[in-house]
């Protein structure tokens, strides 16, 4: 970007650029308090709204967080690296480990707001699982909280006829999770397909994920197939985009 291009940018963006550079260089470390609105007004000779907008840019990017009554601080949370391929390897969940263990390492993960119910499949779900419209499906809904921060909402759909009376219909599915239980039922997942989209969150998603205003969500829809090509699970995930790095590592 040339000096001329930079001069054309709104002043709040230029202030945000300088603060971002300071954060990335380590001048402001994780947990440090950033200059407040009054400080920015004085330093840059700008109106309060301009200072507020500059800090909002950093909050929306996930670099900073507001603490009520204390100010705006460099975010301490370390983004979660979601390794899209190794996390789904059969020898991972097949050995009783959660697919999440490939991502979180030794960090504190809590799964809460767990709901398991049986309902009639709407057309979209029925189509994904190759079921008749209105067929009964088991719905598993939960929220994932990492280092005390909500990062993911997940809803899984499975044929109720397939999993009824099994641990898959319980809040805790046991070691290895749903895929290990499907394997025990003779329906081992052998292939996965993921579709990724991005949009702004709904009010409910913002509340459940405690999102900063303006933070988009990443939507990942994953379908699990058996070796015979039968779809046995549809998992729809809503991720806080500021909490994730999506990593896909594969051979050429």
């Amino acid at each position: 970007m040339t000096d001329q291009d930079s001069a054309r940018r709104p002043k709040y963006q230029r202030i945000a650029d300088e603060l971002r550079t300071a954060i990335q260089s380590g001048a402001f470390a994780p947990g440090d308090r950033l200059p407040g609105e009054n400080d920015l007004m004085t330093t840059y000779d700008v109106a309060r709204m301009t200072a507020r907008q500059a800090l909002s840019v950093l909050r929306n990017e996930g670099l900073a967080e507001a603490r009520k009554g204390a100010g705006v601080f460099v975010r301490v949370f370390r983004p979660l690296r979601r390794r899209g391929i190794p996390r789904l390897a059969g020898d991972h969940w097949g050995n009783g480990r959660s697919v999440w263990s490939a991502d979180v390492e030794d960090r504190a993960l809590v799964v809460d707001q767990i709901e398991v119910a049986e309902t009639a499949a709407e057309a979209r779900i029925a189509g994904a699982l190759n079921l008749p419209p209105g067929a009964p499906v088991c719905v598993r809904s939960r929220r994932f909280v990492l280092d005390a921060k909500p990062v993911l909402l997940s809803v899984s759909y499975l044929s109720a006829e397939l999993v009824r009376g099994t641990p898959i219909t319980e809040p805790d599915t046991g070691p290895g999770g749903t895929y290990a239980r499907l394997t025990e039922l003779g329906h081992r997942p052998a292939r996965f397909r993921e579709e990724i989209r991005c949009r702004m969150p709904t009010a409910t998603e913002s509340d459940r994920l405690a999102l900063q205003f303006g933070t988009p969500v990443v939507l990942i829809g994953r379908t699990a197939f058996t070796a015979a090509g039968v779809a046995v699970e549809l998992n729809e995930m809503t991720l806080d985009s500021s909490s994730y790095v999506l990593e896909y590592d594969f051979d050429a």
Side-chain angles (χ1 to χ4, degrees):
M1 180 182 298
T2 66
D3 292 341
Q4 187 175 21
D5 290 334
S6 178
R8 292 197 191 103
R9 288 165 59 80
K11 196 153 191 177
Y12 76 90
Q13 288 281 10
R14 284 180 273 156
I15 296 172
D17 291 345
E18 291 190 22
L19 291 174
R20 185 188 306 106
T21 298
I23 292 171
Q24 293 172 342
S25 71
F28 290 110
D32 283 354
R33 184 182 183 279
L34 292 173
E37 292 177 9
N38 290 337
D39 300 321
L40 296 178
M41 290 166 62
T42 300
T43 301
Y44 295 96
D45 190 24
V46 295
R48 182 172 300 277
M49 182 55 69
T50 301
R52 184 171 300 166
Q53 287 176 305
L55 292 171
S56 292
V57 168
L58 300 179
R59 291 170 56 192
N60 292 341
E61 292 177 353
L63 292 174
E65 59 185 358
R67 300 178 189 171
K68 191 172 182 179
V72 177
F73 294 77
V74 178
R75 197 176 184 202
V76 175
F77 183 82
R78 177 162 49 97
L80 180 62
R81 186 169 294 276
R82 184 183 188 274
R83 297 174 172 87
I85 294 176
R87 70 195 307 273
L88 294 173
D91 62 358
H92 193 79
W93 47 264
N95 289 325
R97 291 175 289 175
S98 163
V99 296
W100 263 79
S101 63
D103 302 336
V104 301
E105 298 170 342
D106 59 350
R107 300 167 71 181
L109 173 70
V110 174
V111 183
D112 69 1
Q113 298 183 6
I114 302 173
E115 296 181 6
V116 185
E118 186 173 309
T119 188
E122 59 183 81
R124 176 177 60 83
I125 304 301
L129 294 175
N130 197 28
L131 297 172
V137 288
C138 171
V139 183
R140 296 182 50 81
S141 175
R142 57 266 193 219
R143 183 179 71 163
F144 291 76
V145 181
L146 185 66
D147 297 342
K149 184 192 184 310
V151 294
L152 168 72
L153 307 176
S154 177
V155 184
S156 293
Y157 302 89
L158 306 98
S159 167
E161 297 293 340
L162 179 66
V163 303
R164 192 178 287 132
T166 73
I168 292 174
T169 63
E170 302 295 330
D172 184 356
T173 57
T178 295
Y179 297 148
R181 304 292 80 75
L182 285 170
T183 298
E184 293 166 357
L185 292 171
H187 301 282
R188 178 184 175 88
R191 180 173 63 87
F192 299 93
R193 181 181 66 222
E194 288 193 342
E195 298 178 351
I196 302 175
R197 294 180 293 133
C198 186
R199 62 164 167 76
M200 297 308 295
T202 65
T204 299
E205 290 166 346
S206 291
D207 181 60
R208 293 185 66 195
L209 289 172
L211 297 176
Q212 297 280 358
F213 178 76
T215 302
V217 290
V218 176
L219 308 178
I220 300 179
R222 181 175 69 231
T223 308
F225 300 89
T226 66
V230 177
V232 288
E233 184 218 29
L234 172 65
N235 187 356
E236 296 186 329
M237 295 159 275
T238 305
L239 291 66
D240 170 8
S241 63
S242 68
S243 296
Y244 276 89
V245 174
L246 305 183
E247 178 183 297
Y248 294 90
D249 184 6
F250 43 86
D251 294 334

